[in-house]
Each structure stands twice: as C-alpha cells, then as structure tokens.
Amino acid sequence: MTKIYKFQDDVSTDAFKELEKHSSLAIDTEGSGLQIPYRDKLSLVQFSTGNDDAYIIQPNRKNYKASNIVKILENKKITKIGHYLRYDISGLEYFLKCNVKNIWDSKIASRLCRTYSQNHGLKDLVQEFCGKKLDKRLGSSDWNKNLNELTDAQLQYCSNDVIYLHKIKDALHKMLVRENRLELYENCIQFLKTRIKLDQSGFTEDIFQH
Ligand code: MN
C-alpha cells in the first residue's frame, strides 16, 4: 500500500526535513492541461522517496508560494527523477519561479537505450521494469478540485506516476552504460533547459530538422 501524504500550498517542515534526507527524489506534476505555462496552470506537485510513498502538494494557484518545494528543486545534491521533464520543469520553473537543479529524465534515457521499442511512455517502462500495469485513464481528470475532494483513485493515480521512477532509473542507467550512451544521455540533459526555453519562446518544432 502506497503511503500518501497530502499538503496544501507547500510541504510541511517535517515532510521537508524527511525529503531532504534523500539523495534522489522522484517528481511529477499535474496541470490543468498540456499547454503549460500560458494557457494551463500547475495544479499538483508529487514527490516520492522511492519507498512506496507519495507526497502530493496542491500549490496555491493565486501566488504559487512554496519555499520548501523550491528549496528541494534547487538543491543540487538531490537528483530529481522524472518522466518527460520537458513538461514538468517548464511548469515548475515558470509558476514557482525557481531553477530546478540535478535532473534525471527516464523518457530521454529510454529513447537512447531502448532502441528495440517504439514505446517510451511511463506505462511501458513500469510494465517492463516493475512488472505492473499502470492505468493511465485518470490522466485527463480535474486536478483543480479542492485537495480534500480529490478521489482515492485520483490520488493513487498521481502517486503511481512517482513511485516506480527510482527503480526505472536504476534499470535504464545500467542500460545506458551497457550501450555506451551515458555521455550522449548527459549531453541531452544539458540541453533540456534550452529546449524548454525554446518551447516557452514559441519554437515548439524541432529546430535541427532540415
Ligand atoms: Mn502525472
């Protein structure tokens, strides 16, 4: 059973102290839609320590003040593991006005080492490395409801997006080393912030294409 902790506005001091003890944290966000940051807004932030727990925070959408979350995101000693961080970091940096440091992206890693597959969704990685079937049907649901109105199914859904990421990272890291693509992966991660700035400046196409 996943231990789920819910917070309004920001994680509590106690939860912050607990999260800060870890050298890596899984992270995910939910928004009101995919067009972050201009049309859609950041609705939820989730963390996991990798021990079948989920910290679900509903930021204050009026002021987006969450200094504990920002401290975690900016702490370069804590690796933030996410899947397709191009979306999450864009929203986190825009709304929480921060600079996310030390990131690890399972989608980029998967594209570089799982060349035998066309499928690089979180669902596919959870299936392959954790042997679990993720139900993604609640992905498009109303995350702007009051925190205490979110259903158990919604809470479990947004927990599932973070609880498997540590295990997936370990597996993909080994494969990147095996396939001699770790350096290429690291260079892609270096570029991710620039890719996000391009998105936010309206250059959403692949600027390297002919
Ligand atoms: Mn999610």
Side-chain angles (χ1 to χ4, degrees), residues 38-76:
Y38 303 117
R39 186 193 69 180
D40 294 311
K41 282 187 157 65
L42 180 66
S43 305
L44 294 177
V45 180
Q46 307 102 269
F47 289 104
S48 175
T49 70
N51 300 312
D52 203 17
D53 53 17
Y55 293 71
I56 300 172
I57 309 106
Q58 182 167 64
N60 180 326
R61 279 183 286 124
K62 290 202 178 79
N63 60 31
Y64 282 105
K65 277 199 183 126
S67 60
N68 287 338
I69 297 179
V70 167
K71 273 185 231 159
I72 292 167
L73 296 176
E74 294 193 337
N75 186 338
K76 58 179 189 294

Side-chain angles (χ1 to χ4, degrees), residues 29 38 54 86 100 130 168 189 203:
T29 62
Y38 303 117
R86 182 174 172 181
V100 185
C130 308
I168 289 169
I189 289 293
F203 295 97

Side-chain angles (χ1 to χ4, degrees), residues 87-125:
Y87 174 80
D88 303 287
I89 288 182
S90 181
L92 287 166
E93 292 197 339
Y94 181 88
F95 290 105
L96 303 185
K97 295 181 182 61
C98 63
N99 183 359
V100 185
K101 304 260 173 68
N102 191 352
I103 55 181
W104 207 95
D105 191 313
S106 52
K107 187 154 195 161
I108 294 171
S110 175
R111 284 192 191 278
L112 288 172
C113 64
R114 292 175 66 258
T115 44
Y116 52 82
S117 175
Q118 305 264 49
N119 303 314
H120 302 284
L122 180 65
K123 189 181 163 73
D124 306 300
L125 302 181

Side-chain angles (χ1 to χ4, degrees), residues 1-2 4 6 56 138 141 143 145-160:
M1 269 297 270
T2 309
I4 296 176
K6 296 189 283 181
I56 300 172
L138 276 174
S141 69
W143 301 109
K145 290 196 272 191
N146 288 333
L147 192 59
N148 56 16
E149 288 171 355
L150 291 171
T151 64
D152 288 345
Q154 279 183 305
L155 294 170
Q156 186 63 53
Y157 172 89
C158 58
S159 304
N160 286 346

